[in-house]
Amino acid sequence: MTGPVGDEPLGELEVVHTFTGPMPTGVSMSHTGRIFVNFPKWGDEVPATVVELRDGVEVPFPNQGWNSPSADDDAQAFVSVQSIVVDPADRLWVLDTGSPMFQPTKPGGPKLVRVDLDSDTVAQVITFPADVALPSTYLNDVRFDLRRGEAGIAYITDSSDSGPNGIIVVDLATGQSWRRLHEHPSTKAEPLETFRPVVEGRPFLERPADGDPKPVSMGCDGIAIAADGSRLYYCPLASRRWYSVATDALVDRMVSDDEVAATVRDEGDKGGGSDGLETDDAGRLYLTSYEHDAVLRRRTDGEYETLVHDPRLLWPDTMSVAADGHLYVTANQLHRQATYQRGQDLRRKPYVLFRTRIDAGPVLLR
């Protein structure tokens, strides 16, 4: 006689590393197999906001000095890093929010920093003017196309939960940057009337220890670039819909904001809220699904499939496709933080870096 049937996992998840300290968000692999991870400063004790995993040890990267800021506007150190991405030329870019505990930013804090992996030294620091990185800005994630301009273009999401959302475009040769889709509806969190997220069977809301719950308000968060570089995909954290925009329009500063907006495409309902997005060199798109402990994949024929579903995928956050044919993904229990649990921290360590085989490689636009 058998008992009641429960939920069944789908796909194969391999544990790469477990974290017993602060919660991670970003992960990225070099073309030679080096693994980098970051930890934003959201209340945990964070000895280093960027590390390399070496033989199972979290080593400050590129060194402890760069992980020891003197202030929140220190342009020569990492303040609070949300994302790290290895670019098509095998260089690590560090996206620093300059916003520990989601505090207002100051010039010098928000920045994009290039670390050359042949020497493990910082080679470029790009800061943002005050009309690009606003006091409310939260630099969330970044993608690259090195074929454009003299040294390439970076695209960054501003996921602010308290101010304007949009896409920030960066010319890597000059360091110049500009905002696109500023406050466009596709970049905004949806209200509870149209999006009521449920995670682990419970409504996902900001729930202070005292006071009324309120909806999660993070805007455009996940970002991914098409395999041919023609379109940039993005999604608000608080939405089940996702969108894309023509990269030609984003990059050309002679194109008006209205003309950029005219190239936005509603990619439809993706079945759940997503944090991270990713693409592979076979033209497929990957979406984390934090409401379903899953990673979904949209095939080139437009059909969706579940790559992996597992109860251990408690808030799949950031994904990264590696040259070894695997998709790597962090699971960090974000929804169990005290912010969403009436002041009680319900996270249970360890947090986990997983990987699953996809038999494809990263998009390398170079």
Side-chain angles (χ1 to χ4, degrees), residues 113-261:
V113 179
R114 189 183 92 221
V115 183
D116 285 350
L117 296 180
D118 54 354
S119 62
D120 290 350
T121 57
V122 171
Q124 186 177 8
V125 177
I126 298 173
T127 56
F128 300 92
D131 61 347
V132 173
L134 313 173
S136 61
T137 287
Y138 195 83
L139 303 179
N140 195 291
D141 207 352
V142 60
R143 293 295 183 268
F144 297 90
D145 186 343
L146 300 186
R147 306 169 305 172
R148 293 186 179 271
E150 292 182 23
I153 290 287
Y155 307 98
I156 300 170
T157 46
D158 179 353
S159 65
S160 174
D161 66 355
S162 61
N165 300 114
I167 304 291
I168 295 171
V169 185
V170 186
D171 183 324
L172 299 178
T174 64
Q176 291 185 318
S177 57
W178 54 98
R179 294 184 70 93
R180 288 299 206 181
L181 298 180
H182 182 79
E183 286 290 80
H184 188 272
S186 66
T187 70
K188 303 301 293 179
E190 291 189 40
L192 289 177
E193 289 76 16
T194 57
F195 176 65
R196 188 175 293 273
V198 177
V199 184
E200 283 197 272
R202 301 162 179 84
F204 177 53
L205 299 163
E206 288 190 21
R207 297 179 183 273
D210 300 306
D212 295 328
K214 63 179 182 177
V216 173
S217 55
M218 272 82 87
C220 61
D221 182 318
I223 186 174
I225 193 164
D228 64 1
S230 64
R231 298 193 71 80
L232 190 74
Y233 295 84
Y234 59 94
C235 62
L237 185 81
S239 176
R240 293 190 186 100
R241 306 195 75 81
W242 61 320
Y243 305 87
S244 68
V245 62
T247 50
D248 283 347
L250 292 175
V251 169
D252 187 348
R253 301 191 73 174
M254 300 301 291
V255 174
S256 71
D257 288 340
D258 286 345
E259 290 171 318
V260 174

Side-chain angles (χ1 to χ4, degrees), residues 46-116:
V46 179
T49 190
V50 179
V51 303
E52 180 179 1
L53 301 183
R54 298 178 187 166
D55 299 320
V57 178
E58 299 161 20
V59 180
F61 189 83
N63 51 51
Q64 187 59 55
W66 266 94
N67 282 278
S68 304
S70 61
D72 291 353
D73 59 355
D74 190 342
Q76 296 300 312
F78 304 142
V79 177
S80 179
V81 172
Q82 176 68 25
S83 180
I84 40 96
V85 174
V86 173
D87 76 5
D90 205 25
R91 307 171 300 185
L92 183 73
W93 291 87
V94 176
L95 187 61
D96 189 352
T97 66
S99 177
M101 298 298 293
F102 301 98
Q103 294 298 306
T105 66
K106 303 173 184 176
K111 54 190 170 288
L112 184 62
V113 179
R114 189 183 92 221
V115 183
D116 285 350

